[in-house]
Coordinates of all heavy atoms in Angstrom, one line a residue:
A1 N -63.8 142.1 -14.6 CA -64.1 143.5 -14.2 C -64.8 143.5 -12.8 O -64.6 144.3 -12.0 CB -65.0 144.1 -15.2
E2 N -65.7 142.5 -12.6 CA -66.4 142.4 -11.3 C -65.5 142.2 -10.1 O -65.6 142.9 -9.1 CB -67.4 141.3 -11.3 CG -68.2 141.2 -10.1 CD -69.2 140.0 -10.1 OE1 -69.3 139.3 -11.1 OE2 -69.9 139.8 -9.1
K3 N -64.5 141.3 -10.3 CA -63.5 141.1 -9.2 C -62.7 142.4 -8.9 O -62.5 142.7 -7.8 CB -62.5 140.0 -9.6 CG -62.9 138.6 -9.4 CD -61.8 137.7 -9.8 CE -62.2 136.2 -9.5 NZ -61.2 135.3 -9.8
F4 N -62.3 143.1 -10.0 CA -61.6 144.3 -9.8 C -62.4 145.4 -9.0 O -61.9 145.9 -8.0 CB -61.2 144.9 -11.2 CG -60.5 146.3 -11.1 CD1 -59.2 146.3 -10.8 CD2 -61.2 147.4 -11.3 CE1 -58.5 147.6 -10.7 CE2 -60.6 148.7 -11.2 CZ -59.3 148.7 -10.9
V5 N -63.6 145.6 -9.4 CA -64.5 146.5 -8.8 C -64.7 146.1 -7.3 O -64.6 147.0 -6.4 CB -65.8 146.7 -9.5 CG1 -66.8 147.5 -8.7 CG2 -65.6 147.3 -10.9
L6 N -65.1 144.9 -7.1 CA -65.4 144.5 -5.7 C -64.1 144.5 -4.9 O -64.2 144.9 -3.7 CB -65.9 143.0 -5.7 CG -67.4 142.9 -6.2 CD1 -67.8 141.4 -6.2 CD2 -68.3 143.7 -5.4
N7 N -63.0 144.2 -5.4 CA -61.7 144.3 -4.7 C -61.4 145.7 -4.2 O -61.0 145.9 -3.0 CB -60.6 143.8 -5.6 CG -59.3 143.7 -4.8 OD1 -59.3 143.3 -3.6 ND2 -58.2 143.9 -5.4
F8 N -61.7 146.7 -5.0 CA -61.4 148.1 -4.6 C -62.5 148.8 -4.0 O -62.3 149.8 -3.3 CB -60.8 148.9 -5.8 CG -59.4 148.4 -6.2 CD1 -59.2 147.5 -7.2 CD2 -58.3 148.9 -5.5 CE1 -57.9 147.1 -7.6 CE2 -57.0 148.5 -5.9 CZ -56.8 147.6 -6.9
W9 N -63.8 148.5 -4.3 CA -64.9 149.3 -3.9 C -65.8 148.5 -2.9 O -66.8 149.1 -2.4 CB -65.7 149.7 -5.1 CG -64.9 150.7 -5.9 CD1 -64.2 150.5 -7.0 CD2 -64.8 152.1 -5.7 NE1 -63.6 151.6 -7.5 CE2 -64.0 152.7 -6.7 CE3 -65.4 152.9 -4.7 CZ2 -63.7 154.0 -6.7 CZ3 -65.1 154.3 -4.8 CH2 -64.2 154.8 -5.8
K10 N -65.6 147.3 -2.6 CA -66.5 146.5 -1.7 C -66.8 147.2 -0.4 O -68.0 147.4 0.0 CB -65.9 145.1 -1.5 CG -66.9 144.2 -0.7 CD -66.4 142.8 -0.6 CE -67.4 141.9 0.1 NZ -66.9 140.6 0.2
E11 N -65.8 147.7 0.3 CA -66.0 148.4 1.6 C -66.8 149.6 1.4 O -67.7 149.9 2.2 CB -64.6 148.7 2.2 CG -64.7 149.3 3.5 CD -63.3 149.6 4.1 OE1 -62.4 148.9 3.8 OE2 -63.3 150.6 4.9
H12 N -66.6 150.4 0.4 CA -67.3 151.6 0.1 C -68.8 151.3 -0.2 O -69.7 152.0 0.2 CB -66.7 152.5 -1.0 CG -65.3 153.0 -0.7 ND1 -65.1 153.9 0.3 CD2 -64.1 152.6 -1.1 CE1 -63.8 154.2 0.4 NE2 -63.2 153.4 -0.5
L13 N -69.0 150.3 -1.0 CA -70.4 149.9 -1.4 C -71.1 149.4 -0.1 O -72.3 149.7 0.0 CB -70.3 148.8 -2.4 CG -69.8 149.2 -3.8 CD1 -69.7 148.0 -4.7 CD2 -70.8 150.2 -4.4
E14 N -70.5 148.6 0.7 CA -71.2 148.1 1.9 C -71.5 149.2 2.9 O -72.5 149.1 3.6 CB -70.3 147.0 2.6 CG -70.2 145.7 1.8 CD -69.2 144.7 2.3 OE1 -68.4 145.1 3.2 OE2 -69.2 143.6 1.8
N15 N -70.7 150.2 2.9 CA -70.9 151.3 3.9 C -71.7 152.5 3.3 O -71.9 153.5 4.0 CB -69.5 151.9 4.4 CG -68.8 150.8 5.2 OD1 -69.4 150.0 5.9 ND2 -67.4 150.9 5.2
S16 N -72.1 152.4 2.1 CA -72.8 153.4 1.4 C -74.2 153.6 2.1 O -74.9 152.7 2.5 CB -73.1 153.1 0.0 OG -73.9 154.0 -0.6
I17 N -74.5 154.9 2.3 CA -75.8 155.2 2.9 C -76.8 155.6 1.9 O -78.0 155.9 2.2 CB -75.7 156.4 4.0 CG1 -75.1 157.6 3.4 CG2 -74.9 155.9 5.2 CD1 -75.1 158.8 4.3
L18 N -76.4 155.7 0.6 CA -77.4 156.1 -0.4 C -78.4 154.9 -0.7 O -78.0 153.8 -0.7 CB -76.6 156.3 -1.7 CG -75.7 157.6 -1.7 CD1 -74.9 157.6 -3.0 CD2 -76.5 158.8 -1.5
P19 N -79.6 155.3 -0.9 CA -80.6 154.2 -1.2 C -80.3 153.5 -2.5 O -79.9 154.2 -3.5 CB -81.9 154.9 -1.2 CG -81.6 156.3 -1.5 CD -80.2 156.6 -0.9
L20 N -80.5 152.2 -2.6 CA -80.3 151.5 -3.8 C -81.5 151.4 -4.6 O -81.5 151.0 -5.7 CB -79.8 150.1 -3.5 CG -78.4 150.0 -2.8 CD1 -78.1 148.6 -2.4 CD2 -77.3 150.6 -3.6
I21 N -82.6 151.9 -4.0 CA -83.9 151.9 -4.7 C -84.2 153.3 -5.3 O -84.1 154.3 -4.5 CB -85.1 151.4 -3.8 CG1 -84.8 150.0 -3.2 CG2 -86.4 151.5 -4.4 CD1 -85.7 149.6 -2.1
D22 N -84.6 153.3 -6.5 CA -84.9 154.6 -7.1 C -86.1 155.3 -6.6 O -87.0 154.6 -5.9 CB -84.9 154.5 -8.7 CG -86.1 153.7 -9.1 OD1 -87.2 154.2 -9.3 OD2 -85.9 152.5 -9.3
S23 N -86.3 156.5 -6.8 CA -87.4 157.3 -6.2 C -88.8 156.8 -6.7 O -89.7 156.7 -5.9 CB -87.3 158.8 -6.6 OG -86.1 159.3 -6.1
K24 N -88.9 156.4 -8.0 CA -90.2 156.0 -8.4 C -90.6 154.7 -7.7 O -91.8 154.5 -7.3 CB -90.2 155.7 -9.9 CG -90.4 156.9 -10.8 CD -90.4 156.6 -12.3 CE -91.6 155.7 -12.7 NZ -91.7 155.5 -14.1
T25 N -89.7 153.8 -7.5 CA -89.9 152.5 -6.8 C -90.3 152.8 -5.4 O -91.3 152.2 -4.8 CB -88.7 151.6 -6.9 OG1 -88.4 151.4 -8.3 CG2 -89.0 150.3 -6.2
Q26 N -89.6 153.7 -4.7 CA -89.9 154.0 -3.3 C -91.3 154.6 -3.2 O -92.0 154.2 -2.3 CB -88.8 155.0 -2.8 CG -87.5 154.4 -2.3 CD -86.6 155.4 -1.7 OE1 -86.3 156.4 -2.3 NE2 -86.2 155.2 -0.5
L27 N -91.6 155.5 -4.1 CA -92.9 156.1 -4.0 C -94.0 155.1 -4.3 O -95.1 155.1 -3.6 CB -93.0 157.3 -5.0 CG -94.4 158.0 -5.0 CD1 -94.6 158.7 -3.6 CD2 -94.4 159.1 -6.1
Q28 N -93.8 154.2 -5.2 CA -94.8 153.2 -5.5 C -95.0 152.3 -4.3 O -96.1 152.0 -4.0 CB -94.3 152.3 -6.7 CG -95.2 151.2 -7.1 CD -94.8 150.5 -8.4 OE1 -94.4 151.1 -9.3 NE2 -94.9 149.2 -8.3
E29 N -93.9 151.8 -3.7 CA -94.0 151.0 -2.5 C -94.7 151.7 -1.4 O -95.6 151.1 -0.7 CB -92.6 150.5 -2.0 CG -92.0 149.6 -3.0 CD -90.5 149.2 -2.6 OE1 -90.0 149.8 -1.7 OE2 -90.0 148.3 -3.2
H30 N -94.4 153.0 -1.2 CA -95.1 153.7 -0.1 C -96.6 153.8 -0.4 O -97.4 153.6 0.5 CB -94.5 155.1 0.0 CG -95.2 156.0 0.9 ND1 -95.2 155.9 2.3 CD2 -96.1 157.0 0.7 CE1 -96.0 156.8 2.9 NE2 -96.5 157.5 1.9
S31 N -96.9 154.2 -1.6 CA -98.3 154.4 -2.0 C -99.1 153.1 -1.9 O -100.3 153.1 -1.4 CB -98.4 155.0 -3.4 OG -99.7 155.2 -3.8
L32 N -98.6 152.0 -2.4 CA -99.2 150.7 -2.3 C -99.4 150.3 -0.9 O -100.5 149.7 -0.5 CB -98.5 149.7 -3.1 CG -98.6 149.8 -4.6 CD1 -97.6 148.8 -5.3 CD2 -100.0 149.5 -5.1
K33 N -98.4 150.5 -0.1 CA -98.5 150.0 1.3 C -99.5 150.8 2.1 O -100.3 150.3 2.9 CB -97.1 150.3 2.0 CG -96.9 149.7 3.4 CD -95.5 150.0 3.8 CE -95.1 149.1 5.0 NZ -93.7 149.4 5.4
K34 N -99.6 152.1 1.9 CA -100.4 153.0 2.7 C -101.8 153.2 2.1 O -102.8 153.2 2.8 CB -99.8 154.4 2.8 CG -100.4 155.3 3.8 CD -99.5 156.4 4.2 CE -100.2 157.2 5.3 NZ -99.4 158.3 5.8
F35 N -102.0 153.2 0.7 CA -103.3 153.5 0.1 C -103.8 152.4 -0.8 O -104.9 152.5 -1.3 CB -103.2 154.8 -0.7 CG -102.7 156.0 0.1 CD1 -101.4 156.5 -0.1 CD2 -103.5 156.5 1.1 CE1 -101.0 157.6 0.6 CE2 -103.0 157.6 1.8 CZ -101.8 158.1 1.6
K36 N -103.0 151.4 -1.0 CA -103.3 150.3 -2.0 C -103.6 150.8 -3.4 O -104.4 150.3 -4.1 CB -104.6 149.5 -1.5 CG -104.5 149.0 -0.1 CD -103.8 147.7 0.0 CE -103.9 147.1 1.4 NZ -102.8 147.5 2.3
K37 N -102.9 151.9 -3.7 CA -103.1 152.5 -5.1 C -101.7 152.9 -5.6 O -100.8 153.3 -4.8 CB -104.0 153.8 -5.0 CG -105.4 153.4 -4.8 CD -106.2 154.7 -4.9 CE -107.7 154.3 -4.7 NZ -108.6 155.4 -5.0
L38 N -101.5 152.9 -6.9 CA -100.3 153.3 -7.5 C -100.2 154.8 -7.6 O -101.3 155.5 -7.7 CB -100.2 152.7 -8.9 CG -99.9 151.2 -9.0 CD1 -100.1 150.7 -10.4 CD2 -98.5 150.9 -8.5
P39 N -99.1 155.4 -7.6 CA -99.0 156.8 -7.9 C -99.5 157.1 -9.3 O -99.4 156.3 -10.2 CB -97.5 157.1 -7.8 CG -96.9 156.0 -7.1 CD -97.8 154.8 -7.4
K40 N -100.0 158.3 -9.5 CA -100.5 158.7 -10.8 C -99.6 159.7 -11.5 O -99.5 160.8 -10.9 CB -102.0 159.2 -10.7 CG -102.5 159.6 -12.1 CD -103.9 160.1 -12.0 CE -104.4 160.4 -13.4 NZ -105.7 161.2 -13.3
Y41 N -99.0 159.3 -12.6 CA -98.1 160.2 -13.3 C -98.8 160.8 -14.5 O -99.5 160.0 -15.2 CB -96.8 159.5 -13.8 CG -95.9 159.0 -12.7 CD1 -96.1 157.8 -12.1 CD2 -94.9 159.9 -12.2 CE1 -95.2 157.4 -11.1 CE2 -94.1 159.5 -11.2 CZ -94.2 158.3 -10.6 OH -93.4 157.9 -9.6
T42 N -98.7 162.1 -14.7 CA -99.4 162.7 -15.9 C -98.3 163.5 -16.6 O -97.7 164.4 -16.1 CB -100.5 163.7 -15.4 OG1 -101.4 162.9 -14.6 CG2 -101.3 164.2 -16.6
F43 N -98.2 163.2 -17.9 CA -97.3 163.9 -18.8 C -97.8 165.3 -19.0 O -99.0 165.5 -19.4 CB -97.1 163.2 -20.1 CG -96.2 164.0 -21.1 CD1 -94.9 164.2 -20.9 CD2 -96.8 164.5 -22.2 CE1 -94.1 164.9 -21.8 CE2 -96.1 165.2 -23.1 CZ -94.7 165.4 -22.9
Y44 N -97.0 166.3 -18.7 CA -97.4 167.7 -18.8 C -97.1 168.3 -20.2 O -98.0 168.6 -21.0 CB -96.7 168.5 -17.8 CG -97.5 169.4 -16.9 CD1 -97.0 169.7 -15.6 CD2 -98.7 169.9 -17.2 CE1 -97.8 170.4 -14.7 CE2 -99.5 170.6 -16.4 CZ -99.0 170.9 -15.1 OH -99.7 171.6 -14.2
K45 N -95.9 168.4 -20.5 CA -95.5 169.0 -21.8 C -94.0 168.8 -22.1 O -93.2 168.5 -21.2 CB -95.8 170.5 -21.9 CG -95.1 171.4 -21.0 CD -95.5 172.8 -21.2 CE -94.9 173.7 -20.2 NZ -95.3 175.1 -20.4
K46 N -93.7 169.0 -23.4 CA -92.3 168.9 -23.8 C -92.0 170.2 -24.4 O -92.7 170.8 -25.2 CB -92.2 167.8 -24.9 CG -90.8 167.6 -25.5 CD -90.9 166.6 -26.6 CE -89.7 166.8 -27.5 NZ -89.8 165.9 -28.7
T47 N -90.8 170.8 -24.0 CA -90.4 172.1 -24.5 C -88.9 171.9 -24.9 O -88.3 170.9 -24.7 CB -90.5 173.2 -23.4 OG1 -89.7 172.8 -22.3 CG2 -92.0 173.4 -23.0
G48 N -88.4 173.0 -25.4 CA -87.0 173.0 -25.8 C -86.8 172.5 -27.2 O -87.7 172.0 -27.9
P49 N -85.5 172.6 -27.7 CA -85.2 172.2 -29.1 C -85.3 170.7 -29.2 O -85.2 169.9 -28.2 CB -83.8 172.7 -29.3 CG -83.2 172.9 -27.9 CD -84.4 173.2 -27.0
Q50 N -85.4 170.2 -30.4 CA -85.6 168.8 -30.7 C -84.4 168.0 -30.1 O -84.6 166.9 -29.6 CB -85.7 168.5 -32.2 CG -86.1 167.1 -32.6 CD -87.5 166.7 -32.3 OE1 -88.3 167.6 -32.1 NE2 -87.8 165.5 -32.2
H51 N -83.2 168.5 -30.2 CA -82.0 167.8 -29.8 C -81.7 167.8 -28.3 O -80.9 167.1 -27.8 CB -80.7 168.3 -30.6 CG -80.4 169.7 -30.2 ND1 -81.1 170.8 -30.7 CD2 -79.4 170.2 -29.4 CE1 -80.5 171.9 -30.2 NE2 -79.5 171.6 -29.4
K52 N -82.5 168.7 -27.6 CA -82.3 168.8 -26.1 C -83.6 169.2 -25.5 O -83.8 170.2 -24.9 CB -81.3 169.9 -25.8 CG -80.7 169.8 -24.4 CD -79.6 170.8 -24.3 CE -79.0 170.7 -22.9 NZ -77.9 171.7 -22.6
P53 N -84.6 168.2 -25.5 CA -85.9 168.5 -25.0 C -86.0 168.5 -23.5 O -85.1 167.9 -22.8 CB -86.8 167.4 -25.6 CG -85.8 166.2 -25.7 CD -84.5 166.9 -26.1
I54 N -87.0 169.2 -23.0 CA -87.2 169.2 -21.5 C -88.7 168.7 -21.3 O -89.6 169.3 -21.9 CB -87.1 170.6 -20.9 CG1 -85.6 171.1 -21.1 CG2 -87.5 170.6 -19.5 CD1 -85.4 172.6 -20.7
F55 N -88.8 167.7 -20.5 CA -90.1 167.1 -20.3 C -90.6 167.5 -18.9 O -89.8 167.6 -17.9 CB -90.0 165.6 -20.3 CG -89.7 165.0 -21.7 CD1 -88.4 164.9 -22.1 CD2 -90.7 164.7 -22.6 CE1 -88.1 164.4 -23.4 CE2 -90.4 164.2 -23.8 CZ -89.1 164.1 -24.3
K56 N -91.9 167.7 -18.8 CA -92.5 168.0 -17.5 C -93.6 167.0 -17.2 O -94.4 166.7 -18.1 CB -93.1 169.4 -17.5 CG -92.1 170.5 -17.4 CD -92.8 171.9 -17.2 CE -91.7 173.0 -17.2 NZ -92.3 174.3 -16.9
T57 N -93.6 166.4 -16.0 CA -94.5 165.4 -15.6 C -94.9 165.7 -14.2 O -94.1 166.2 -13.4 CB -93.9 164.0 -15.7 OG1 -93.4 163.8 -17.0 CG2 -94.8 162.9 -15.3
D58 N -96.2 165.4 -13.8 CA -96.6 165.6 -12.4 C -96.9 164.2 -11.9 O -97.2 163.3 -12.6 CB -97.7 166.6 -12.2 CG -99.0 166.2 -12.8 OD1 -99.3 165.0 -12.8 OD2 -99.7 167.1 -13.2
V59 N -96.9 164.1 -10.6 CA -97.2 162.8 -9.9 C -98.0 163.2 -8.6 O -97.9 164.3 -8.0 CB -95.9 162.0 -9.5 CG1 -95.1 162.8 -8.5 CG2 -96.3 160.7 -9.0
Q60 N -98.9 162.3 -8.3 CA -99.7 162.5 -7.1 C -100.1 161.1 -6.6 O -100.3 160.1 -7.3 CB -101.0 163.2 -7.5 CG -101.8 163.6 -6.3 CD -103.0 164.5 -6.6 OE1 -103.5 164.5 -7.8 NE2 -103.5 165.2 -5.7
I61 N -100.2 161.0 -5.3 CA -100.7 159.8 -4.6 C -101.9 160.3 -3.7 O -102.0 161.6 -3.5 CB -99.7 159.1 -3.7 CG1 -99.1 160.0 -2.6 CG2 -98.5 158.6 -4.6 CD1 -98.2 159.3 -1.6
P62 N -102.8 159.4 -3.3 CA -103.9 159.9 -2.4 C -103.4 160.8 -1.2 O -102.3 160.5 -0.7 CB -104.5 158.6 -1.9 CG -104.2 157.6 -3.0 CD -102.8 158.0 -3.5
N63 N -104.2 161.8 -0.9 CA -103.9 162.7 0.2 C -102.6 163.5 0.0 O -102.0 163.9 1.0 CB -103.8 162.0 1.5 CG -105.1 161.3 1.8 OD1 -106.2 161.7 1.4 ND2 -105.0 160.2 2.6
S64 N -102.1 163.7 -1.2 CA -100.9 164.5 -1.4 C -101.2 165.5 -2.5 O -102.2 165.4 -3.3 CB -99.7 163.7 -1.9 OG -99.8 163.4 -3.2
K65 N -100.4 166.6 -2.6 CA -100.5 167.5 -3.6 C -99.8 167.0 -4.9 O -99.0 166.1 -4.8 CB -99.9 168.9 -3.2 CG -98.5 168.8 -2.9 CD -97.9 170.1 -2.4 CE -96.4 170.0 -2.1 NZ -95.8 171.2 -1.8
K66 N -100.1 167.6 -6.0 CA -99.4 167.2 -7.3 C -98.1 167.9 -7.2 O -97.9 169.0 -6.8 CB -100.2 167.7 -8.5 CG -101.4 166.9 -8.9 CD -102.0 167.4 -10.2 CE -103.2 166.5 -10.5 NZ -103.8 166.9 -11.8
V67 N -97.1 167.1 -7.7 CA -95.7 167.7 -7.7 C -95.2 167.5 -9.1 O -95.4 166.5 -9.7 CB -94.8 166.9 -6.7 CG1 -93.4 167.4 -6.8 CG2 -95.3 167.0 -5.3
I68 N -94.6 168.6 -9.6 CA -94.1 168.6 -11.0 C -92.6 168.3 -11.0 O -91.8 168.8 -10.2 CB -94.3 170.0 -11.7 CG1 -95.8 170.2 -11.8 CG2 -93.7 170.0 -13.0 CD1 -96.2 171.6 -12.3
G69 N -92.2 167.4 -11.9 CA -90.8 167.1 -12.1 C -90.4 167.4 -13.5 O -91.2 167.3 -14.5
I70 N -89.1 167.8 -13.7 CA -88.6 168.0 -15.1 C -87.4 167.1 -15.3 O -86.7 166.7 -14.4 CB -88.2 169.5 -15.3 CG1 -87.2 170.0 -14.3 CG2 -89.5 170.4 -15.2 CD1 -86.7 171.4 -14.6
G71 N -87.1 166.8 -16.6 CA -86.0 166.0 -16.9 C -85.8 166.0 -18.4 O -86.6 166.5 -19.2
S72 N -84.7 165.4 -18.8 CA -84.3 165.3 -20.3 C -85.1 164.2 -21.0 O -84.9 164.0 -22.2 CB -82.8 165.1 -20.4 OG -82.4 164.0 -19.7
S73 N -85.8 163.4 -20.2 CA -86.7 162.3 -20.8 C -87.9 162.2 -19.9 O -87.9 162.7 -18.8 CB -85.9 161.0 -20.9 OG -85.7 160.5 -19.6
K74 N -88.9 161.5 -20.4 CA -90.1 161.3 -19.6 C -89.8 160.6 -18.3 O -90.2 160.9 -17.2 CB -91.2 160.6 -20.3 CG -91.9 161.4 -21.4 CD -93.0 160.6 -22.1 CE -93.6 161.4 -23.2 NZ -94.7 160.6 -23.9
K75 N -88.9 159.6 -18.4 CA -88.5 158.8 -17.3 C -87.8 159.7 -16.2 O -88.0 159.6 -15.0 CB -87.6 157.6 -17.7 CG -87.1 156.7 -16.6 CD -86.3 155.6 -17.1 CE -85.8 154.7 -16.0 NZ -85.0 153.6 -16.4
N76 N -86.8 160.5 -16.7 CA -86.1 161.4 -15.8 C -87.1 162.4 -15.1 O -86.9 162.7 -13.9 CB -85.0 162.1 -16.5 CG -83.8 161.3 -16.9 OD1 -83.7 160.2 -16.4 ND2 -83.0 161.8 -17.8
A77 N -88.0 162.9 -15.8 CA -89.0 163.8 -15.3 C -89.9 163.1 -14.2 O -90.1 163.6 -13.1 CB -89.9 164.3 -16.3
Q78 N -90.2 161.8 -14.4 CA -91.0 161.0 -13.4 C -90.1 160.8 -12.2 O -90.6 160.9 -11.1 CB -91.5 159.7 -14.0 CG -92.5 159.9 -15.1 CD -92.9 158.6 -15.7 OE1 -92.2 157.6 -15.7 NE2 -94.1 158.6 -16.4
Q79 N -88.9 160.4 -12.4 CA -88.0 160.2 -11.2 C -87.8 161.5 -10.4 O -87.9 161.5 -9.2 CB -86.6 159.8 -11.7 CG -86.5 158.4 -12.2 CD -86.5 157.3 -11.1 OE1 -86.6 157.6 -9.9 NE2 -86.5 156.1 -11.5
N80 N -87.7 162.6 -11.1 CA -87.5 163.9 -10.4 C -88.8 164.2 -9.7 O -88.7 164.7 -8.5 CB -87.2 165.0 -11.5 CG -87.0 166.4 -10.9 OD1 -88.0 167.2 -10.9 ND2 -85.9 166.6 -10.3
A81 N -90.0 164.0 -10.2 CA -91.2 164.3 -9.6 C -91.4 163.4 -8.3 O -91.8 163.9 -7.3 CB -92.4 164.1 -10.5
A82 N -91.1 162.1 -8.5 CA -91.2 161.2 -7.4 C -90.3 161.6 -6.3 O -90.7 161.5 -5.1 CB -90.9 159.7 -7.9
S83 N -89.1 161.9 -6.6 CA -88.1 162.4 -5.6 C -88.6 163.6 -4.8 O -88.5 163.6 -3.6 CB -86.7 162.7 -6.2 OG -85.8 163.1 -5.3
K84 N -89.1 164.6 -5.5 CA -89.7 165.8 -4.9 C -90.8 165.4 -4.0 O -90.9 166.0 -2.9 CB -90.1 166.8 -5.9 CG -89.0 167.5 -6.6 CD -89.6 168.5 -7.6 CE -88.5 169.3 -8.4 NZ -89.1 170.2 -9.3
L85 N -91.7 164.5 -4.4 CA -92.9 164.2 -3.6 C -92.4 163.4 -2.3 O -92.9 163.7 -1.2 CB -93.9 163.3 -4.4 CG -95.2 162.9 -3.7 CD1 -95.9 164.2 -3.1 CD2 -96.1 162.2 -4.6
L86 N -91.5 162.5 -2.5 CA -90.9 161.8 -1.3 C -90.3 162.7 -0.3 O -90.5 162.6 0.9 CB -89.9 160.8 -1.8 CG -90.4 159.5 -2.5 CD1 -89.3 158.7 -3.1 CD2 -91.2 158.6 -1.5
R87 N -89.6 163.8 -0.8 CA -89.0 164.7 0.1 C -90.1 165.6 0.8 O -90.0 165.8 2.0 CB -88.0 165.7 -0.6 CG -86.7 165.0 -0.9 CD -85.6 166.0 -1.2 NE -85.9 166.8 -2.4 CZ -85.7 166.4 -3.7 NH1 -85.0 165.3 -3.9 NH2 -86.0 167.2 -4.7
S88 N -91.1 165.9 0.0 CA -92.2 166.7 0.7 C -93.0 165.9 1.7 O -93.5 166.5 2.7 CB -93.1 167.3 -0.4 OG -94.0 166.3 -0.9
L89 N -93.0 164.6 1.5 CA -93.7 163.8 2.5 C -92.7 163.3 3.6 O -93.1 162.5 4.5 CB -94.2 162.5 1.8 CG -95.3 162.7 0.8 CD1 -95.6 161.5 0.0 CD2 -96.6 163.3 1.4
K90 N -91.5 163.8 3.5 CA -90.4 163.5 4.5 C -90.1 162.0 4.6 O -89.9 161.4 5.6 CB -90.8 164.0 5.9 CG -90.9 165.5 5.9 CD -91.1 166.1 7.2 CE -91.2 167.6 7.3 NZ -91.2 168.4 6.2
I91 N -90.2 161.3 3.4 CA -89.9 159.9 3.3 C -88.4 159.7 2.8 O -87.8 158.8 3.1 CB -90.9 159.2 2.3 CG1 -92.3 159.3 2.9 CG2 -90.5 157.8 2.1 CD1 -93.4 158.9 2.0
L92 N -87.9 160.6 2.0 CA -86.6 160.5 1.5 C -85.6 161.5 2.2 O -86.0 162.5 2.6 CB -86.6 160.9 0.0 CG -85.4 160.6 -0.8 CD1 -85.1 159.2 -0.9 CD2 -85.5 161.3 -2.2

């Protein structure tokens, strides 16, 4: 399977401009580099039906405002919040 994928997609993968690092990792690296502190994620609340919940989480780093993210899991909500904060800081 790997040979097949690389054979047909290698050029596209090499030319891809999308970041290979997820938003939470990028935010963590930025925060540690600049402030020597990890981002602080706070679980807000869970709403919606049991089979399709919606999670809200906020994130903050030193000298930034709190940003709220939503998602279908706590992890997705954290990724969403990190992505929003990176965009607001003009890092992403």
Side-chain angles (χ1 to χ4, degrees):
E2 182 181 358
K3 277 185 177 181
F4 175 81
V5 171
L6 288 177
N7 188 33
F8 288 97
W9 291 97
K10 185 175 183 178
E11 184 179 329
H12 296 290
L13 292 171
E14 289 172 351
N15 294 329
S16 174
I17 58 171
L18 295 175
L20 298 176
I21 301 172
D22 64 89
S23 299
K24 276 183 68 174
T25 303
Q26 280 185 302
L27 183 60
Q28 179 175 318
E29 289 175 352
H30 171 76
S31 184
L32 286 172
K33 188 179 199 181
K34 194 164 184 175
F35 306 108
K36 308 277 188 269
K37 291 188 177 186
L38 289 169
K40 183 178 180 193
Y41 291 91
T42 306
F43 174 69
Y44 235 151
K45 65 180 174 178
K46 175 184 163 190
T47 59
Q50 188 72 21
H51 68 282
K52 197 173 181 182
I54 297 172
F55 294 87
K56 287 188 179 181
T57 301
D58 68 34
V59 65
Q60 186 175 23
I61 61 173
N63 301 332
S64 81
K65 61 182 180 174
K66 283 186 180 179
V67 176
I68 297 174
I70 59 173
S72 58
S73 68
K74 286 182 183 180
K75 182 179 179 179
N76 288 345
Q78 289 175 342
Q79 286 286 358
N80 181 259
S83 178
K84 286 180 178 179
L85 183 54
L86 286 168
R87 281 195 303 271
S88 75
L89 297 170
K90 298 186 180 4
I91 296 170
L92 189 68

